[in-house]
Amino acid sequence: MNRINEVFEAFGSALILAWRAFRSLPSAPRILRRVSEQGYLAGYTTLPIVAILLFFIGAVLALQAGNTLRDFGAKQLIGTLVGESIARELGPVMVAILLAGRVGSAVTAELASMRVSGEIDALVTMNIPPERMLVLPRLLAVLLITPVLTIIGNIIGWFGGAIVCAGVSTIGVEPEMYFQALKQYLTVQDIMDGLIKAEIFGFVVMLIACSTGLRTRGGPREIGFAVTKSVVFSLIAILTLDYFITKALD
Amino acid sequence: MASLRSKSFSPPVRDDRSPVRISVSGLGKSYGAQGVLHDISLEVKPGEIFVIMGPSGSGKSVLLRHIAGLELPSAGTVAINGQDPSLPDTRDRFALALVFQSGALFNSLSVYENLALYPLEHRLCPKPEIRERVMRALRILSIENAVHKLPAELSGGMKKRVAIARALVMEPQVILYDEPTSELDPVMAATIAEIIATLKEQFSVTSVVVSHDRDLAFAIADRIAVLHQGRLLTVQTPAELRENRDPIIREFLQPSINLQEPRFKKLEANHD
């Protein structure tokens, strides 16, 4: 029962935090520097790992699908399969998982450590809302960088598939055919659906990270627990939301 | 805070700059089944240095956090000039500053940025004026050479002084100090005590100091409250407290070191 209460409490706190943060939205022009700093931390530094991961996901997808589709005589559709899978599903989900593991965990650790060392209390006594100074810049940054990361990740994933299709002799699909199939069936709507998903995932990951960090009490051990909790909650949220958003967008 | 306040600077909300009164009435605090404070009532007069003493775990810091508005009472009330300190409006009006035991400096910001944060965030004055205020506060505490350093590069004493300087830049009417001399050598502790007394002299700010440092308390306090196991034992002037014959207070103020009958052995015997 305590566990269930804890989950509801965490959920409620996250919603209240989001509300308080966005109530400070009129002050957004004053926090542009912090937004750009957070955008750099969350976006630029995550980009290499997004690129590597999506490249190999595209490559593996093409390899697996290529051999199967070849047996059915439909290898010309590999581009469609890889393109759709990455744009609608794997791109947004993988970017969100990387954000949770790389950015969310760091944000939780930073805010939890600020809470434990009294920095958050110091902000409160100075009448500087932590939601405005610490949470809003991170939420805005993640809203800005997630679609960019996803688009770049998608493109790299598609190229990963194309390289495998061309390079693996048993598949033997030329890039022209691969990209033609990709363009033929992949619509702007598919890409937009993927970006909507990515945006929601990114926002939720950052909200969970900030909320978990700010709710930490205790010492260094609790900071570690908070980071674990933040990543686990984020992963559960990403996969649960993925189902419902996919259903809603169908 | 005359010397710190620039002529062109007029805070938007704070119109009355006189020192404020702090009233604690019937304050109780429990965390679950554990009672930490029990029926605490006291008044801190405007402009006085009020020291709260007591053994470790007596609830001093929890009481201070209630006065700072960081904790909500389980029972009773805390008021600053009749207003609830947990409300942002009250903090804005009276510019309440808390000097944390650890300093609680923002580790990712330089000393300058730590001090400039409050006036910048509240848009109290233009940037050149903020710089002037920050540098003046650093000069008062003799730490101008630390202006570009990060908190991690400072010693314990420097951190405390930067934390006091940060409070000073806020031009507060109330400064709350949580164990300002803990973990400091005797010379640095005396320096901090002198700084607290000087700030009161110069700026007539109401100061509440939580400490178990007897020398500090007797040197600078106008009145001293003694807490024991979450209860208020007495509020007296230093001279009155010296004459107090209450055995708990005597034991706290003048603990004798008895190597023949050590306390921990008595406690062990009682436990068995």
Side-chain angles (χ1 to χ4, degrees):
Chain A
M1 198 63 193
N2 276 349
R3 268 266 190 261
I4 296 170
N5 282 346
E6 203 181 308
V7 170
F8 277 112
E9 201 187 318
F11 185 66
S13 306
L15 287 182
I16 292 168
L17 186 67
W19 161 246
R20 285 185 180 159
F22 280 102
R23 220 172 38 178
S24 322
L25 206 53
S27 66
R30 290 170 58 197
I31 54 166
L32 279 180
R33 208 187 100 207
R34 286 194 198 115
V35 174
S36 62
E37 277 171 11
Q38 293 302 323
Y40 172 80
L41 286 174
Y44 184 71
T45 56
T46 313
L47 187 57
I49 192 160
V50 165
I52 293 168
L53 195 76
L54 262 303
F55 177 86
F56 282 104
I57 282 179
V60 169
L61 205 57
L63 199 59
Q64 293 276 15
N67 288 328
T68 311
L69 289 176
R70 184 201 55 207
D71 294 344
F72 286 99
K75 66 179 183 181
Q76 71 278 11
L77 291 176
I78 296 174
T80 311
L81 193 141
V82 173
E84 288 262 358
S85 307
I86 288 182
R88 292 184 63 93
E89 200 58 45
L90 292 168
V93 169
M94 285 303 152
V95 166
I97 287 174
L98 286 176
L99 280 176
R102 200 187 179 288
V103 181
S105 58
V107 166
T108 304
E110 185 184 354
L111 297 188
S113 137
M114 287 181 78
R115 166 64 79 191
V116 168
S117 67
E119 291 179 45
I120 303 291
D121 285 341
L123 281 178
V124 173
T125 54
M126 292 163 90
N127 227 8
I128 301 170
E131 296 86 4
R132 187 181 78 199
M133 186 173 159
L134 302 172
V135 180
L136 186 62
R138 286 172 168 86
L139 289 176
L140 292 179
V142 86
L143 286 176
L144 289 172
I145 58 103
T146 311
V148 178
L149 279 179
T150 310
I151 289 170
I152 296 173
N154 285 351
I155 293 169
I156 291 172
W158 295 336
F159 273 96
I163 289 167
V164 165
C165 286
V168 176
S169 58
T170 53
I171 302 173
V173 172
E174 289 305 311
E176 292 78 27
M177 187 197 276
Y178 173 90
F179 281 111
Q180 199 179 0
L182 193 148
K183 277 194 287 183
Q184 195 176 351
Y185 291 99
L186 187 70
T187 62
V188 173
Q189 191 56 48
D190 291 330
I191 297 170
M192 289 308 292
D193 286 355
L195 293 183
I196 291 169
K197 268 188 189 180
E199 197 76 312
I200 295 172
F201 294 160
F203 179 79
V204 168
V205 163
M206 191 53 87
L207 189 60
I208 289 173
C210 290
S211 174
T212 312
L214 289 176
R215 291 174 67 240
T216 306
R217 296 284 185 281
R221 206 169 68 127
E222 280 71 20
I223 297 175
F225 288 156
V227 172
T228 308
K229 199 193 285 181
S230 162
V231 174
V232 170
F233 276 9
S234 294
L235 295 181
I236 293 171
I238 291 166
L239 297 176
T240 313
L241 281 171
D242 189 27
Y243 174 81
F244 289 106
I245 300 170
T246 306
K247 192 103 176 95
L249 293 173
D250 258 352
Chain B
M1 310 282 300
S3 67
L4 263 182
R5 204 176 311 135
S6 132
K7 281 176 192 166
S8 61
F9 162 53
S10 54
V13 184
R14 293 178 263 155
D15 43 7
D16 177 9
R17 306 291 310 169
S18 52
V20 297
R21 176 182 299 278
I22 299 168
S23 314
V24 177
S25 170
L27 178 66
K29 181 68 181 180
S30 309
Y31 296 103
Q34 189 193 0
V36 179
L37 294 176
H38 309 281
D39 195 23
I40 306 276
S41 295
L42 52 87
E43 288 272 327
V44 182
K45 295 173 195 161
E48 79 171 335
I49 296 182
F50 189 89
V51 176
I52 302 169
M53 296 185 79
S56 302
S58 57
K60 306 182 296 288
S61 293
V62 177
L63 173 57
L64 196 76
R65 288 176 64 82
H66 278 83
I67 296 172
L70 291 172
E71 300 268 355
L72 294 176
S74 306
T77 57
V78 178
I80 295 180
N81 268 13
Q83 297 187 36
D84 181 354
S86 67
L87 299 175
D89 280 354
T90 310
R91 287 197 209 106
D92 232 358
R93 182 157 311 206
F94 300 116
L96 184 149
L98 174 56
V99 178
F100 289 82
Q101 185 173 359
S102 61
L105 301 175
F106 304 112
N107 283 316
S108 56
L109 304 180
S110 70
V111 167
Y112 179 84
E113 289 166 330
N114 262 283
L115 267 65
L117 187 67
Y118 180 83
L120 271 177
E121 283 290 322
H122 291 277
R123 293 175 155 182
L124 293 184
C125 48
K127 280 186 181 173
E129 226 169 295
I130 291 175
R131 180 160 191 85
E132 204 181 302
R133 282 170 68 168
V134 168
M135 294 314 293
R136 220 175 296 161
L138 290 173
R139 265 198 304 277
I140 289 173
L141 290 144
S142 313
I143 43 172
E144 307 101 296
N145 53 357
V147 65
H148 298 302
K149 288 188 175 169
L150 287 170
E153 298 169 309
L154 303 176
S155 67
M158 290 277 269
K159 276 186 191 165
K160 298 256 185 201
R161 280 194 279 172
V162 172
I164 295 174
R166 184 173 70 179
L168 207 54
V169 169
M170 292 171 67
E171 301 192 337
Q173 286 156 286
V174 185
I175 305 186
L176 311 172
Y177 301 88
D178 190 4
E179 302 280 9
T181 57
S182 65
E183 301 160 32
L184 296 182
D185 65 73
V187 177
M188 185 51 69
T191 308
I192 297 286
E194 287 162 5
I195 288 168
I196 295 170
T198 309
L199 293 181
K200 183 239 174 178
E201 288 288 312
Q202 288 187 3
F203 307 128
S204 309
V205 61
T206 305
S207 309
V208 180
V209 184
V210 157
S211 180
H212 48 235
D213 183 339
R214 285 167 301 164
D215 295 338
L216 169 115
F218 285 111
I220 65 169
D222 292 310
R223 288 187 303 148
I224 300 172
V226 182
L227 282 188
H228 184 256
Q229 295 181 345
R231 295 181 197 281
L232 184 63
L233 293 184
T234 185
V235 178
Q236 291 182 312
T237 63
E240 289 166 346
L241 196 62
R242 277 199 188 92
E243 303 304 318
N244 195 310
R245 295 289 134 210
D246 183 303
I248 297 173
I249 294 174
R250 289 258 57 82
E251 166 77 359
F252 174 68
L253 294 178
Q254 291 173 334
S256 55
I257 298 173
N258 188 341
L259 298 180
Q260 273 68 49
E261 289 179 57
R263 281 180 191 78
F264 70 90
K265 287 207 170 165
K266 281 186 201 166
L267 287 172
E268 268 179 4
N270 288 343
H271 190 68
D272 293 339

